[in-house]
Structures are given as structure tokens and as C-alpha cells.
Amino acid sequence: MKKLIFALAVGMSLAAFAAGPKMKAIFTVPHELDMLLKYGHIQGATCSEKALYLSHQGGIVKLDWQTGKLIKAVEAPMHLGDIAYGKGRIYGAFGVRQYATNETPCQVAMWDEDLKLLKKTSFRYLRANGKSLARGFDGAVVVGDTFYTGLDHTGEAVWDCPPHTDCPIMAYTLDLEPKGVMSVDLGYTILYGVQTLATDGKNLMLGNYGGQRDKGNPKGYNFSVVTTDGKVVRNGAFGCSEGFGLVPKSVSKRETPVYFTVQALGGNMQGWRKDPEKNPPRIRIDFYEYANGSFADITDRSEKK
């Protein structure tokens, strides 16, 4: 039996495996994602009933749900983070490489299901002391009529980010008009900000880089469920830093919610770059059933040759 992944709250019993067959993992096709040799790891993921979408810092790829074959690839206008799907559109949250003295521009964008860019807009967010708070946006999800994205913390230098418990999240309309920013205190330290976002249909489910256990994160949390008005429902640990999302029931064929996660094969970008011919960038999509606040691994990882 595959081990259960985690319980989101201390003392909460782990979910039992559901009866029925496991879901076959989805493997991408060798050399179809060779753009990752340049752009590195997957940054985020989302899906519709018809396709999977994965983002990297230079663009988006659209994959077949059944075969993992590449359908289409497009470039992004700047450093792309996580992506989200809602009402026939793909939404993206961007990081930024350029820095001004007191401001950091952030950007969101949307595409249609065929990855035609429809709109992009920038936003500048300052700390109360006038210094830049956000290195960029990351984490992306659509809940109802709102698109949410996390504001990524930074210190004085690009990669200088002391541990912090607060996690700002910005809301947009589905036409990318700002609705406001809420500051969520997760109760444990994280580095940077939200990395990936998904939803249970009601709440925000966010993955992050948890802080060290001896620096404000004694239970090793890196995952939280948060209401859309910023209240923490539960914290836990779940590996979803390269993207995850809710699987449509038409795909999962299960009544219990199922989530997918993105797993890099072949040593991620360091391994890929050592021998890209024999070890090309590849991704595996795994599946987890979600019940009573816990995830259970239901993935059959055997690959058909």
C-alpha cells in the first residue's frame, strides 16, 4: 500500500484509500519539453476538462490529458510563475527581474484556452515604509468570479528574504481589474510568498517554501488552506511547489475530490542539463484523493513503454 501523504491538522486522522483502481500517472513525451533546458523547472499548473497546462518562467505548454503529448507551447511576456483556469481562460502571475528604488512592478495576464494572449496588466505594491514588498506575483487560482495571486516577498537583494509569517494575497476580477489585497498570517514562517495555489471550490489551497524548523516553523509546514477573506482553516505539509490543481470529475471519474501534482523526472534542471540527449526534461503528473482534510496517494506510476 502506498503511504498516505499527510494530515493537514495535528491529531487529524489520515484519509483512507478509496476503493477502486488507481489513476495512471501522466508522463510527458521525451524532448517535447526541451525548452526547460533554458527555463528551468515547472513553475505552476492548471487544467480544464480538455487539457493540462504547465507554466515555466518563459511560457506555457498545453498537454493532452491522456497521453501527456504536447499540444501547443507559447512564450510569456516576462518571468511567469503559477497559472490558473477559470471560465475558459488561463490566468498567469509573474515575477519581475527589473528593480526600481522604491517600486517593484508585478504583472498578471490572461489567455484563451488555445493560449492566445488576451490581456496583461501591471501593478505596483509598496510597503507602508515606501520600500518594495513584492518581487513579483506567484501562486494563481480562480475561485468563483475572482482571480487570486500571492505577493512574493523580497528583502533588499533579489534572493535576500528573511522568514516571515505574513502572506499577502491580491484579488482581481476575471477581467484583471484589482479588487484589493489581504494579508494572511499563516502562523508559521515561510520564505518568499505563495508558490502555488489551487482550490477546493470554496477556499484557497496554497503551497509555499516553508521556513526552517528552528526559525519559526517547528512542524515543518509548507501548505495551508485559507478562506477567501484571509482566515487560516488548517496548516500542513504537502509537496506541490511546482504546481497542482483540482482534477475535473469528468477526468477523475470519482466523487471524492482528486488533485494532481507536478513531479520533475531525471533530477530536475540540474540533471537535465548534464546530459539532455539521454536525460531530457520530463514531467510526471501524480494524483491524490482529498477527504476530511487529508490527501491520499492514488497514483499508479508504472509507465507504459
Side-chain angles (χ1 to χ4, degrees):
M1 179 183 290
K2 300 288 186 180
K3 70 177 182 178
L4 301 180
I5 300 304
F6 78 110
L8 282 172
V10 176
M12 183 177 293
S13 61
L14 293 172
F17 285 103
K22 293 186 176 182
M23 293 183 63
K24 291 288 295 183
I26 298 173
F27 293 81
T28 59
V29 178
H31 294 296
E32 286 195 341
L33 301 184
D34 279 359
M35 76 285 289
L36 294 178
L37 293 169
K38 175 181 179 181
Y39 291 115
H41 61 81
I42 294 298
Q43 298 278 347
T46 193
C47 66
S48 67
E49 292 187 345
K50 298 178 181 178
L52 274 165
Y53 299 85
L54 307 182
S55 58
H56 54 82
Q57 68 173 354
I60 304 175
V61 295
K62 180 179 180 180
L63 305 175
D64 183 271
W65 251 125
Q66 302 299 319
T67 65
K69 285 186 64 64
L70 180 68
I71 298 173
K72 189 172 184 178
V74 298
E75 293 184 351
M78 53 197 305
H79 185 113
L80 180 58
D82 196 13
I83 52 176
Y85 176 82
K87 298 186 177 180
R89 296 172 178 175
I90 309 297
Y91 295 83
F94 292 83
V96 179
R97 296 299 191 189
Q98 295 79 32
Y99 292 82
T101 302
N102 293 321
E103 296 181 325
T104 299
C106 307
Q107 189 176 96
V108 290
M110 66 180 178
W111 298 258
D112 66 15
E113 292 187 73
D114 197 41
L115 298 182
K116 177 184 177 182
L117 183 63
L118 301 176
K119 184 177 181 179
K120 59 181 179 179
T121 185
S122 296
F123 176 75
R124 296 177 185 269
Y125 187 59
L126 300 180
R127 288 177 177 162
N129 62 8
K131 292 186 176 181
S132 170
L133 167 67
R135 180 165 58 90
F137 288 152
D138 209 349
V141 71
V142 172
V143 182
D145 61 356
T146 303
F147 167 51
Y148 295 90
T149 184
L151 283 161
D152 189 9
H153 271 275
T154 187
E156 296 304 316
V158 175
W159 297 114
D160 174 23
C161 184
H164 51 277
T165 62
D166 62 306
C167 184
I169 297 176
M170 186 164 184
Y172 277 84
T173 70
L174 295 187
D175 288 324
L176 301 185
E177 298 298 326
K179 295 176 72 172
V181 178
M182 62 181 177
S183 185
V184 180
D185 192 325
L186 296 175
Y188 62 94
T189 58
I190 62 175
L191 300 177
Y192 311 113
V194 178
Q195 297 300 308
T196 56
L197 276 170
T199 183
D200 58 9
K202 177 182 177 182
N203 299 305
L204 308 177
M205 305 173 76
L206 62 93
N208 57 67
Y209 295 140
Q212 296 177 7
R213 290 178 182 269
D214 61 348
K215 294 183 178 179
N217 186 16
K219 296 180 180 178
Y221 290 149
N222 65 351
F223 183 92
S224 296
V225 179
V226 178
T227 64
T228 55
D229 59 356
K231 296 180 175 62
V232 176
V233 177
R234 58 179 67 90
N235 295 320
F238 184 54
C240 58
S241 62
E242 293 193 31
F244 78 121
L246 182 63
V247 179
K249 288 186 177 181
S250 61
V251 176
S252 71
K253 310 297 184 185
R254 293 172 183 254
E255 287 303 314
T256 306
V258 172
Y259 289 80
F260 73 87
T261 63
V262 175
Q263 303 296 328
L265 301 179
N268 214 323
M269 56 186 178
Q270 289 80 14
W272 299 334
R273 288 169 177 166
K274 291 179 180 178
D275 190 354
E277 286 301 316
K278 294 181 180 179
N279 182 28
R282 293 191 70 195
I283 301 300
R284 187 188 70 225
I285 303 299
D286 292 344
F287 298 97
Y288 297 87
E289 194 168 62
Y290 184 70
N292 300 319
S294 299
F295 289 89
D297 187 343
I298 59 169
T299 312
D300 175 359
R301 296 180 179 83
S302 59
E303 183 178 9
K304 293 181 179 179
K305 301 296 183 180

